[in-house]
Amino acid sequence: MLGYRDDLALRARAGDEEAEDEMTVLIAAERQRTIDEGVDVVLPGWLAEGRARERQRPARAA
């Protein structure tokens, strides 16, 4: 029997786009919790680049 994370990873590798999206959110949240705890982590390049782009966006007025 597979655990939730293993099942999600398996479906993502098989091309299930919803599983890929959910796995991305899961990984990002886990890394953010680790960073918030003050532990140094190596972020995947795609995530680090995305976060850097987000920080460079100008603020939008509501």
Side-chain angles (χ1 to χ4, degrees):
M1 182 153 125
L2 289 176
Y4 174 74
R5 184 182 174 93
D6 292 333
D7 176 65
L8 191 60
L10 185 62
R11 289 187 292 125
R13 287 186 195 128
D16 181 331
E17 290 188 27
E18 282 186 31
E20 289 176 10
D21 293 345
E22 195 169 339
M23 182 59 88
T24 300
V25 170
L26 181 66
I27 291 168
E30 288 173 352
R31 294 294 185 258
Q32 188 61 54
R33 278 193 301 276
T34 304
I35 292 167
D36 291 345
E37 292 170 358
V39 177
D40 290 336
V41 296
V42 176
L43 295 175
W46 59 266
L47 181 58
E49 290 168 9
R51 291 175 61 92
R53 277 193 303 271
E54 287 176 11
R55 290 187 187 125
Q56 293 174 359
R57 284 190 208 152
R60 289 190 225 170

